[in-house]
Short mmCIF file of all heavy atoms in Angstrom, two decimals:
data_model
loop_
_atom_site.label_atom_id
_atom_site.label_comp_id
_atom_site.label_asym_id
_atom_site.label_seq_id
_atom_site.Cartn_x
_atom_site.Cartn_y
_atom_site.Cartn_z
N MET V 1 54.79 155.18 54.70
CA MET V 1 54.73 154.36 55.87
C MET V 1 53.44 153.54 55.81
O MET V 1 52.37 154.05 55.51
CB MET V 1 54.74 155.23 57.12
CG MET V 1 54.42 154.46 58.35
SD MET V 1 54.45 155.29 59.96
CE MET V 1 54.09 156.96 59.65
N THR V 2 53.55 152.30 56.13
CA THR V 2 52.39 151.42 56.15
C THR V 2 51.77 151.45 57.54
O THR V 2 52.48 151.44 58.54
CB THR V 2 52.79 149.98 55.78
OG1 THR V 2 53.42 149.99 54.51
CG2 THR V 2 51.58 149.06 55.74
N VAL V 3 50.44 151.49 57.58
CA VAL V 3 49.72 151.51 58.86
C VAL V 3 48.66 150.42 58.89
O VAL V 3 48.16 150.00 57.85
CB VAL V 3 49.05 152.89 59.12
CG1 VAL V 3 50.09 153.98 59.25
CG2 VAL V 3 48.04 153.23 58.06
N ARG V 4 48.33 149.99 60.10
CA ARG V 4 47.21 149.07 60.30
C ARG V 4 46.05 149.91 60.79
O ARG V 4 46.18 150.68 61.74
CB ARG V 4 47.54 148.00 61.33
CG ARG V 4 46.31 147.12 61.65
CD ARG V 4 46.56 146.07 62.71
NE ARG V 4 47.53 145.11 62.20
CZ ARG V 4 48.70 144.84 62.78
NH1 ARG V 4 49.05 145.45 63.88
NH2 ARG V 4 49.51 143.95 62.26
N ILE V 5 44.91 149.74 60.15
CA ILE V 5 43.71 150.48 60.52
C ILE V 5 42.70 149.48 61.07
O ILE V 5 42.41 148.46 60.44
CB ILE V 5 43.13 151.24 59.31
CG1 ILE V 5 44.17 152.24 58.81
CG2 ILE V 5 41.83 151.92 59.69
CD1 ILE V 5 43.78 152.97 57.56
N THR V 6 42.18 149.78 62.26
CA THR V 6 41.18 148.94 62.89
C THR V 6 39.84 149.67 62.85
O THR V 6 39.75 150.83 63.28
CB THR V 6 41.56 148.62 64.34
OG1 THR V 6 42.87 148.03 64.35
CG2 THR V 6 40.58 147.64 64.97
N ALA V 7 38.83 149.01 62.33
CA ALA V 7 37.50 149.60 62.19
C ALA V 7 36.85 149.81 63.55
O ALA V 7 37.09 149.04 64.48
CB ALA V 7 36.62 148.70 61.33
N PRO V 8 36.02 150.85 63.67
CA PRO V 8 35.31 151.07 64.94
C PRO V 8 34.26 149.99 65.22
O PRO V 8 33.83 149.84 66.35
CB PRO V 8 34.67 152.44 64.77
CG PRO V 8 34.70 152.75 63.32
CD PRO V 8 35.77 151.91 62.71
N VAL V 9 33.87 149.23 64.19
CA VAL V 9 32.92 148.13 64.35
C VAL V 9 33.74 146.84 64.40
O VAL V 9 34.37 146.44 63.42
CB VAL V 9 31.91 148.09 63.19
CG1 VAL V 9 30.99 146.89 63.33
CG2 VAL V 9 31.12 149.38 63.11
N SER V 10 33.73 146.19 65.55
CA SER V 10 34.52 144.98 65.75
C SER V 10 34.17 143.89 64.74
O SER V 10 32.99 143.60 64.51
CB SER V 10 34.28 144.45 67.17
OG SER V 10 35.02 143.29 67.39
N GLY V 11 35.19 143.31 64.11
CA GLY V 11 35.00 142.20 63.20
C GLY V 11 34.48 142.56 61.82
O GLY V 11 34.14 141.68 61.04
N PHE V 12 34.42 143.85 61.49
CA PHE V 12 33.89 144.28 60.18
C PHE V 12 34.70 143.69 59.04
O PHE V 12 35.92 143.74 59.03
CB PHE V 12 33.91 145.81 60.09
CG PHE V 12 33.56 146.33 58.72
CD1 PHE V 12 32.25 146.26 58.26
CD2 PHE V 12 34.52 146.86 57.89
CE1 PHE V 12 31.92 146.74 56.99
CE2 PHE V 12 34.21 147.34 56.63
CZ PHE V 12 32.90 147.28 56.18
N THR V 13 34.02 143.11 58.07
CA THR V 13 34.64 142.62 56.84
C THR V 13 33.89 143.24 55.67
O THR V 13 32.66 143.12 55.58
CB THR V 13 34.58 141.08 56.75
OG1 THR V 13 35.33 140.52 57.84
CG2 THR V 13 35.16 140.57 55.45
N GLY V 14 34.63 143.93 54.82
CA GLY V 14 34.02 144.59 53.68
C GLY V 14 34.84 145.78 53.24
O GLY V 14 35.98 145.96 53.66
N GLU V 15 34.24 146.58 52.38
CA GLU V 15 34.93 147.74 51.83
C GLU V 15 34.81 148.92 52.78
O GLU V 15 33.73 149.30 53.20
CB GLU V 15 34.31 148.10 50.48
CG GLU V 15 35.11 149.12 49.71
CD GLU V 15 34.53 149.32 48.32
OE1 GLU V 15 34.64 148.39 47.49
OE2 GLU V 15 34.00 150.41 48.07
N GLY V 16 35.96 149.51 53.10
CA GLY V 16 36.00 150.66 53.99
C GLY V 16 36.28 151.93 53.23
O GLY V 16 36.09 151.99 52.00
N PRO V 17 36.73 152.97 53.91
CA PRO V 17 37.01 154.25 53.27
C PRO V 17 37.99 154.10 52.11
O PRO V 17 38.98 153.37 52.20
CB PRO V 17 37.64 155.08 54.39
CG PRO V 17 37.16 154.45 55.65
CD PRO V 17 37.01 152.99 55.34
N GLY V 18 37.70 154.77 51.02
CA GLY V 18 38.58 154.72 49.85
C GLY V 18 38.66 153.36 49.20
O GLY V 18 39.58 153.07 48.45
N GLY V 19 37.71 152.47 49.49
CA GLY V 19 37.73 151.13 48.92
C GLY V 19 38.68 150.19 49.63
O GLY V 19 38.94 149.08 49.16
N LEU V 20 39.20 150.59 50.78
CA LEU V 20 40.14 149.76 51.54
C LEU V 20 39.45 148.49 52.03
O LEU V 20 38.41 148.56 52.70
CB LEU V 20 40.66 150.57 52.73
CG LEU V 20 41.82 149.99 53.51
CD1 LEU V 20 43.07 149.86 52.64
CD2 LEU V 20 42.12 150.88 54.71
N PRO V 21 39.99 147.32 51.70
CA PRO V 21 39.35 146.07 52.11
C PRO V 21 39.67 145.71 53.57
O PRO V 21 40.82 145.53 53.93
CB PRO V 21 39.93 145.03 51.15
CG PRO V 21 41.26 145.59 50.77
CD PRO V 21 41.12 147.08 50.80
N PHE V 22 38.63 145.60 54.39
CA PHE V 22 38.79 145.19 55.79
C PHE V 22 38.44 143.72 55.92
O PHE V 22 37.48 143.24 55.32
CB PHE V 22 37.85 146.01 56.69
CG PHE V 22 38.38 147.37 57.02
CD1 PHE V 22 38.27 148.41 56.11
CD2 PHE V 22 39.00 147.61 58.24
CE1 PHE V 22 38.75 149.66 56.41
CE2 PHE V 22 39.49 148.87 58.54
CZ PHE V 22 39.37 149.90 57.63
N VAL V 23 39.22 143.01 56.73
CA VAL V 23 38.96 141.61 57.04
C VAL V 23 39.04 141.48 58.56
O VAL V 23 40.07 141.83 59.16
CB VAL V 23 39.98 140.67 56.37
CG1 VAL V 23 39.74 139.22 56.78
CG2 VAL V 23 39.92 140.81 54.86
N ASP V 24 37.99 140.99 59.17
CA ASP V 24 37.90 140.84 60.63
C ASP V 24 38.25 142.13 61.36
O ASP V 24 38.95 142.14 62.38
CB ASP V 24 38.81 139.70 61.11
CG ASP V 24 38.32 138.34 60.63
OD1 ASP V 24 37.08 138.18 60.48
OD2 ASP V 24 39.16 137.46 60.39
N GLY V 25 37.82 143.27 60.83
CA GLY V 25 37.98 144.55 61.49
C GLY V 25 39.30 145.26 61.27
O GLY V 25 39.54 146.31 61.84
N ALA V 26 40.19 144.72 60.41
CA ALA V 26 41.50 145.34 60.21
C ALA V 26 41.87 145.41 58.73
O ALA V 26 41.43 144.60 57.92
CB ALA V 26 42.57 144.59 60.97
N ALA V 27 42.67 146.41 58.40
CA ALA V 27 43.19 146.58 57.04
C ALA V 27 44.55 147.27 57.14
O ALA V 27 44.88 147.85 58.18
CB ALA V 27 42.23 147.42 56.21
N THR V 28 45.32 147.21 56.07
CA THR V 28 46.59 147.94 56.03
C THR V 28 46.62 148.80 54.78
O THR V 28 46.05 148.44 53.75
CB THR V 28 47.81 146.99 56.02
OG1 THR V 28 47.72 146.12 54.90
CG2 THR V 28 47.90 146.19 57.30
N THR V 29 47.31 149.94 54.88
CA THR V 29 47.45 150.84 53.75
C THR V 29 48.68 151.72 53.95
O THR V 29 49.16 151.89 55.07
CB THR V 29 46.21 151.72 53.56
OG1 THR V 29 46.35 152.48 52.36
CG2 THR V 29 46.00 152.67 54.73
N SER V 30 49.16 152.29 52.85
CA SER V 30 50.21 153.31 52.92
C SER V 30 49.71 154.60 52.27
O SER V 30 50.49 155.51 52.04
CB SER V 30 51.49 152.80 52.24
OG SER V 30 51.22 152.46 50.90
N ASP V 31 48.41 154.68 52.01
CA ASP V 31 47.81 155.87 51.40
C ASP V 31 47.56 156.92 52.48
O ASP V 31 46.74 156.72 53.38
CB ASP V 31 46.49 155.48 50.73
CG ASP V 31 45.86 156.63 49.96
OD1 ASP V 31 45.95 157.79 50.40
OD2 ASP V 31 45.26 156.35 48.91
N PRO V 32 48.26 158.07 52.40
CA PRO V 32 48.11 159.08 53.45
C PRO V 32 46.71 159.70 53.50
O PRO V 32 46.27 160.12 54.57
CB PRO V 32 49.17 160.13 53.12
CG PRO V 32 49.55 159.90 51.71
CD PRO V 32 49.26 158.45 51.41
N ALA V 33 46.00 159.75 52.39
CA ALA V 33 44.65 160.31 52.38
C ALA V 33 43.69 159.41 53.17
O ALA V 33 42.88 159.89 53.97
CB ALA V 33 44.15 160.51 50.96
N ILE V 34 43.78 158.12 52.95
CA ILE V 34 42.92 157.17 53.68
C ILE V 34 43.28 157.18 55.16
O ILE V 34 42.41 157.20 56.02
CB ILE V 34 43.02 155.75 53.08
CG1 ILE V 34 42.44 155.73 51.67
CG2 ILE V 34 42.32 154.73 53.98
CD1 ILE V 34 42.62 154.42 50.94
N THR V 35 44.57 157.20 55.45
CA THR V 35 45.03 157.23 56.84
C THR V 35 44.49 158.46 57.56
O THR V 35 43.96 158.37 58.66
CB THR V 35 46.56 157.21 56.91
OG1 THR V 35 47.04 156.02 56.26
CG2 THR V 35 47.06 157.23 58.33
N GLY V 36 44.60 159.62 56.92
CA GLY V 36 44.11 160.86 57.53
C GLY V 36 42.62 160.83 57.77
O GLY V 36 42.14 161.26 58.82
N TYR V 37 41.87 160.33 56.80
CA TYR V 37 40.42 160.23 56.97
C TYR V 37 40.09 159.33 58.16
O TYR V 37 39.26 159.68 59.01
CB TYR V 37 39.75 159.69 55.70
CG TYR V 37 38.29 159.43 55.94
CD1 TYR V 37 37.36 160.47 55.85
CD2 TYR V 37 37.83 158.17 56.30
CE1 TYR V 37 36.01 160.25 56.10
CE2 TYR V 37 36.49 157.94 56.56
CZ TYR V 37 35.59 158.98 56.46
OH TYR V 37 34.26 158.76 56.73
N CYS V 38 40.72 158.17 58.19
CA CYS V 38 40.41 157.19 59.24
C CYS V 38 40.74 157.74 60.63
O CYS V 38 40.00 157.49 61.59
CB CYS V 38 41.15 155.89 58.99
SG CYS V 38 40.49 154.97 57.58
N GLN V 39 41.83 158.49 60.75
CA GLN V 39 42.20 159.06 62.04
C GLN V 39 41.10 160.00 62.56
O GLN V 39 40.82 160.04 63.75
CB GLN V 39 43.52 159.82 61.95
CG GLN V 39 44.71 158.91 61.86
CD GLN V 39 46.01 159.67 61.64
OE1 GLN V 39 46.05 160.69 60.98
NE2 GLN V 39 47.08 159.13 62.19
N GLY V 40 40.50 160.74 61.66
CA GLY V 40 39.45 161.68 62.07
C GLY V 40 38.07 161.07 62.19
O GLY V 40 37.15 161.71 62.67
N ALA V 41 37.91 159.82 61.75
CA ALA V 41 36.58 159.21 61.71
C ALA V 41 36.40 158.08 62.73
O ALA V 41 35.47 157.28 62.61
CB ALA V 41 36.30 158.68 60.31
N GLY V 42 37.29 157.99 63.71
CA GLY V 42 37.09 157.01 64.77
C GLY V 42 37.76 155.66 64.58
O GLY V 42 37.54 154.75 65.38
N TYR V 43 38.56 155.50 63.53
CA TYR V 43 39.31 154.27 63.34
C TYR V 43 40.59 154.34 64.16
O TYR V 43 41.11 155.43 64.43
CB TYR V 43 39.69 154.08 61.87
CG TYR V 43 38.52 153.84 60.94
CD1 TYR V 43 37.68 154.88 60.55
CD2 TYR V 43 38.27 152.57 60.42
CE1 TYR V 43 36.62 154.67 59.69
CE2 TYR V 43 37.21 152.34 59.55
CZ TYR V 43 36.39 153.40 59.20
OH TYR V 43 35.35 153.17 58.35
N THR V 44 41.13 153.20 64.55
CA THR V 44 42.42 153.15 65.22
C THR V 44 43.49 152.98 64.15
O THR V 44 43.39 152.08 63.31
CB THR V 44 42.48 151.97 66.22
OG1 THR V 44 41.42 152.12 67.16
CG2 THR V 44 43.80 151.94 66.95
N VAL V 45 44.51 153.83 64.18
CA VAL V 45 45.58 153.79 63.19
C VAL V 45 46.90 153.54 63.91
O VAL V 45 47.29 154.29 64.80
CB VAL V 45 45.65 155.12 62.40
CG1 VAL V 45 46.79 155.10 61.41
CG2 VAL V 45 44.33 155.38 61.69
N GLU V 46 47.58 152.45 63.53
CA GLU V 46 48.86 152.08 64.15
C GLU V 46 49.93 151.93 63.07
O GLU V 46 49.74 151.17 62.11
CB GLU V 46 48.74 150.73 64.85
CG GLU V 46 47.65 150.63 65.89
CD GLU V 46 47.47 149.19 66.33
OE1 GLU V 46 48.26 148.74 67.19
OE2 GLU V 46 46.57 148.53 65.79
N PRO V 47 51.06 152.61 63.22
CA PRO V 47 52.14 152.42 62.25
C PRO V 47 52.75 151.03 62.36
O PRO V 47 52.86 150.48 63.45
CB PRO V 47 53.17 153.49 62.62
CG PRO V 47 52.80 153.97 63.96
CD PRO V 47 51.38 153.59 64.23
N LEU V 48 53.11 150.46 61.22
CA LEU V 48 53.78 149.16 61.19
C LEU V 48 55.27 149.39 60.90
O LEU V 48 55.62 150.30 60.16
CB LEU V 48 53.18 148.26 60.11
CG LEU V 48 51.71 147.90 60.29
CD1 LEU V 48 51.22 147.07 59.11
CD2 LEU V 48 51.51 147.13 61.58
N ASN V 49 56.12 148.59 61.46
CA ASN V 49 57.55 148.73 61.26
C ASN V 49 58.08 147.80 60.18
O ASN V 49 59.14 147.25 60.30
CB ASN V 49 58.30 148.46 62.58
CG ASN V 49 58.01 149.51 63.61
OD1 ASN V 49 57.80 150.67 63.27
ND2 ASN V 49 57.98 149.12 64.86
N ASP V 50 57.31 147.66 59.09
CA ASP V 50 57.74 146.76 58.02
C ASP V 50 58.40 147.50 56.86
O ASP V 50 58.83 146.88 55.90
CB ASP V 50 56.56 145.94 57.50
CG ASP V 50 55.47 146.79 56.87
OD1 ASP V 50 55.52 148.03 57.02
OD2 ASP V 50 54.58 146.22 56.24
N ASP V 51 58.51 148.84 56.94
CA ASP V 51 59.15 149.58 55.87
C ASP V 51 60.65 149.41 55.96
O ASP V 51 61.23 149.43 57.04
CB ASP V 51 58.80 151.07 55.96
CG ASP V 51 57.35 151.33 55.65
OD1 ASP V 51 56.77 150.57 54.85
OD2 ASP V 51 56.78 152.29 56.19
N PRO V 52 61.33 149.24 54.80
CA PRO V 52 62.78 149.09 54.84
C PRO V 52 63.44 150.38 55.32
O PRO V 52 62.93 151.47 55.07
CB PRO V 52 63.16 148.80 53.39
CG PRO V 52 62.02 149.31 52.59
CD PRO V 52 60.80 149.21 53.47
N PRO V 53 64.57 150.26 56.02
CA PRO V 53 65.26 151.46 56.48
C PRO V 53 65.81 152.25 55.30
O PRO V 53 66.11 151.69 54.25
CB PRO V 53 66.39 150.92 57.35
CG PRO V 53 66.59 149.52 56.91
CD PRO V 53 65.25 149.04 56.40
N ASP V 54 65.94 153.54 55.48
CA ASP V 54 66.45 154.42 54.43
C ASP V 54 67.97 154.42 54.49
O ASP V 54 68.58 155.29 55.11
CB ASP V 54 65.88 155.83 54.62
CG ASP V 54 66.23 156.75 53.47
OD1 ASP V 54 66.75 156.26 52.45
OD2 ASP V 54 65.97 157.96 53.59
N ASP V 55 68.61 153.43 53.86
CA ASP V 55 70.06 153.29 53.89
C ASP V 55 70.76 154.37 53.11
O ASP V 55 71.91 154.70 53.38
CB ASP V 55 70.49 151.92 53.34
CG ASP V 55 70.10 150.79 54.27
OD1 ASP V 55 69.94 151.06 55.48
OD2 ASP V 55 69.95 149.66 53.80
N LYS V 56 70.11 154.96 52.12
CA LYS V 56 70.74 155.96 51.26
C LYS V 56 71.25 157.15 52.08
O LYS V 56 72.37 157.60 51.90
CB LYS V 56 69.76 156.45 50.20
CG LYS V 56 70.36 157.45 49.26
CD LYS V 56 69.36 157.88 48.20
CE LYS V 56 70.00 158.91 47.28
NZ LYS V 56 69.10 159.39 46.28
N SER V 57 70.45 157.65 53.00
CA SER V 57 70.85 158.82 53.78
C SER V 57 71.99 158.49 54.73
O SER V 57 72.76 159.37 55.10
CB SER V 57 69.67 159.39 54.55
OG SER V 57 69.21 158.45 55.49
N ALA V 58 72.12 157.24 55.12
CA ALA V 58 73.18 156.87 56.05
C ALA V 58 74.52 156.68 55.35
O ALA V 58 75.57 156.78 55.97
CB ALA V 58 72.80 155.60 56.79
N THR V 59 74.51 156.38 54.05
CA THR V 59 75.76 156.08 53.36
C THR V 59 76.25 157.18 52.44
O THR V 59 77.41 157.22 52.10
CB THR V 59 75.62 154.79 52.53
OG1 THR V 59 74.57 154.97 51.58
CG2 THR V 59 75.33 153.60 53.42
N GLU V 60 75.38 158.08 52.02
CA GLU V 60 75.78 159.14 51.10
C GLU V 60 75.72 160.49 51.80
O GLU V 60 74.75 160.79 52.48
CB GLU V 60 74.85 159.16 49.88
CG GLU V 60 74.97 157.92 49.03
CD GLU V 60 74.06 157.99 47.82
OE1 GLU V 60 73.58 159.09 47.49
OE2 GLU V 60 73.82 156.95 47.21
N PRO V 61 76.77 161.31 51.61
CA PRO V 61 76.75 162.63 52.23
C PRO V 61 75.75 163.54 51.53
O PRO V 61 75.41 163.33 50.37
CB PRO V 61 78.17 163.14 52.04
CG PRO V 61 78.67 162.41 50.84
CD PRO V 61 77.98 161.06 50.87
N ASP V 62 75.28 164.54 52.25
CA ASP V 62 74.39 165.52 51.65
C ASP V 62 75.18 166.48 50.78
O ASP V 62 76.31 166.82 51.08
CB ASP V 62 73.65 166.32 52.73
CG ASP V 62 72.65 165.46 53.47
OD1 ASP V 62 72.21 164.45 52.91
OD2 ASP V 62 72.31 165.82 54.61
N GLY V 63 74.57 166.95 49.72
CA GLY V 63 75.19 167.96 48.88
C GLY V 63 76.19 167.39 47.90
O GLY V 63 76.40 166.19 47.80
N PRO V 64 76.86 168.29 47.14
CA PRO V 64 77.82 167.84 46.13
C PRO V 64 79.06 167.23 46.79
O PRO V 64 79.45 167.60 47.89
CB PRO V 64 78.19 169.11 45.37
CG PRO V 64 77.78 170.24 46.25
CD PRO V 64 76.69 169.72 47.15
N SER V 65 79.70 166.29 46.08
CA SER V 65 80.85 165.60 46.64
C SER V 65 82.15 166.36 46.42
O SER V 65 83.15 166.08 47.05
CB SER V 65 80.97 164.19 46.05
OG SER V 65 81.11 164.30 44.64
N ASP V 66 82.17 167.34 45.50
CA ASP V 66 83.41 168.09 45.28
C ASP V 66 83.56 169.21 46.31
O ASP V 66 82.62 169.55 47.02
CB ASP V 66 83.48 168.65 43.86
CG ASP V 66 82.38 169.66 43.57
OD1 ASP V 66 81.71 170.15 44.50
OD2 ASP V 66 82.18 169.97 42.40
N THR V 67 84.72 169.81 46.38
CA THR V 67 84.98 170.85 47.38
C THR V 67 85.08 172.23 46.75
O THR V 67 85.49 173.17 47.40
CB THR V 67 86.27 170.54 48.15
OG1 THR V 67 87.34 170.43 47.21
CG2 THR V 67 86.12 169.27 48.96
N LYS V 68 84.73 172.36 45.47
CA LYS V 68 84.77 173.65 44.81
C LYS V 68 83.73 174.59 45.39
O LYS V 68 82.66 174.18 45.80
CB LYS V 68 84.49 173.51 43.31
CG LYS V 68 85.60 172.91 42.52
CD LYS V 68 85.21 172.93 41.06
CE LYS V 68 86.32 172.40 40.19
NZ LYS V 68 85.94 172.44 38.78
N SER V 69 84.05 175.88 45.38
CA SER V 69 83.10 176.89 45.81
C SER V 69 82.02 177.01 44.75
O SER V 69 82.27 176.88 43.56
CB SER V 69 83.81 178.22 45.99
OG SER V 69 82.88 179.25 46.20
N THR V 70 80.82 177.29 45.18
CA THR V 70 79.73 177.46 44.22
C THR V 70 79.52 178.92 43.87
O THR V 70 78.60 179.27 43.16
CB THR V 70 78.41 176.88 44.78
OG1 THR V 70 78.14 177.52 46.02
CG2 THR V 70 78.52 175.38 44.95
N GLY V 71 80.41 179.80 44.35
CA GLY V 71 80.30 181.22 44.06
C GLY V 71 80.84 181.54 42.68
O GLY V 71 81.12 180.69 41.85
N ARG V 72 81.01 182.82 42.40
CA ARG V 72 81.50 183.27 41.09
C ARG V 72 82.96 182.87 40.90
O ARG V 72 83.74 182.86 41.83
CB ARG V 72 81.39 184.77 40.98
CG ARG V 72 79.98 185.25 40.87
CD ARG V 72 79.99 186.72 40.64
NE ARG V 72 78.72 187.12 40.07
CZ ARG V 72 78.49 188.29 39.55
NH1 ARG V 72 79.45 189.19 39.49
NH2 ARG V 72 77.32 188.58 39.06
N SER V 73 83.31 182.62 39.66
CA SER V 73 84.70 182.31 39.36
C SER V 73 85.52 183.60 39.32
O SER V 73 84.99 184.69 39.13
CB SER V 73 84.82 181.58 38.01
OG SER V 73 84.49 182.47 36.97
N ALA V 74 86.83 183.50 39.46
CA ALA V 74 87.71 184.65 39.45
C ALA V 74 87.68 185.35 38.10
O ALA V 74 87.84 186.55 37.99
CB ALA V 74 89.14 184.24 39.81
N ALA V 75 87.49 184.61 37.03
CA ALA V 75 87.49 185.17 35.68
C ALA V 75 86.32 186.12 35.48
O ALA V 75 86.42 187.07 34.72
CB ALA V 75 87.44 184.06 34.63
N ARG V 76 85.24 185.92 36.14
CA ARG V 76 84.08 186.80 35.96
C ARG V 76 84.31 188.19 36.53
O ARG V 76 83.73 189.15 36.09
CB ARG V 76 82.86 186.19 36.64
CG ARG V 76 82.29 185.02 35.88
CD ARG V 76 80.95 184.63 36.48
NE ARG V 76 80.01 185.73 36.39
CZ ARG V 76 78.87 185.69 35.70
NH1 ARG V 76 78.54 184.61 35.07
NH2 ARG V 76 78.06 186.72 35.69
N GLY V 77 85.16 188.30 37.52
CA GLY V 77 85.39 189.58 38.15
C GLY V 77 86.37 190.45 37.36
O GLY V 77 86.46 191.65 37.56
N LYS V 78 87.10 189.89 36.40
CA LYS V 78 88.09 190.64 35.61
C LYS V 78 87.42 191.31 34.43
O LYS V 78 86.56 190.74 33.78
CB LYS V 78 89.18 189.71 35.12
CG LYS V 78 90.00 189.13 36.23
CD LYS V 78 91.08 188.24 35.66
CE LYS V 78 91.87 187.60 36.77
NZ LYS V 78 92.85 186.67 36.26
N ARG V 79 87.79 192.52 34.17
CA ARG V 79 87.31 193.22 32.98
C ARG V 79 88.50 193.53 32.10
O ARG V 79 89.55 193.91 32.57
CB ARG V 79 86.60 194.51 33.36
CG ARG V 79 85.36 194.19 34.16
CD ARG V 79 84.56 195.41 34.38
NE ARG V 79 83.38 195.04 35.16
CZ ARG V 79 82.24 195.63 35.04
NH1 ARG V 79 82.09 196.62 34.21
NH2 ARG V 79 81.23 195.25 35.77
N GLY V 80 88.29 193.37 30.85
CA GLY V 80 89.46 193.49 30.01
C GLY V 80 89.45 194.49 29.02
O GLY V 80 89.91 195.07 28.28
#
């Protein structure tokens, strides 16, 4: 997820945590380590809604597509 991070110093331009480039007090990142640090260090962190939707989960069913049982086959239970 991409987030917008606002520096606690208004209008800051320069290198921020993790080398994140700030321009006029704001930067964007999808790095969870930088996001976590900034949340605990007084930066404002806002999620952006620019990530594409996850269409895969909406169109494909979970699990295998066949209807076979995943248990033991009947042949395994026979002794000869």
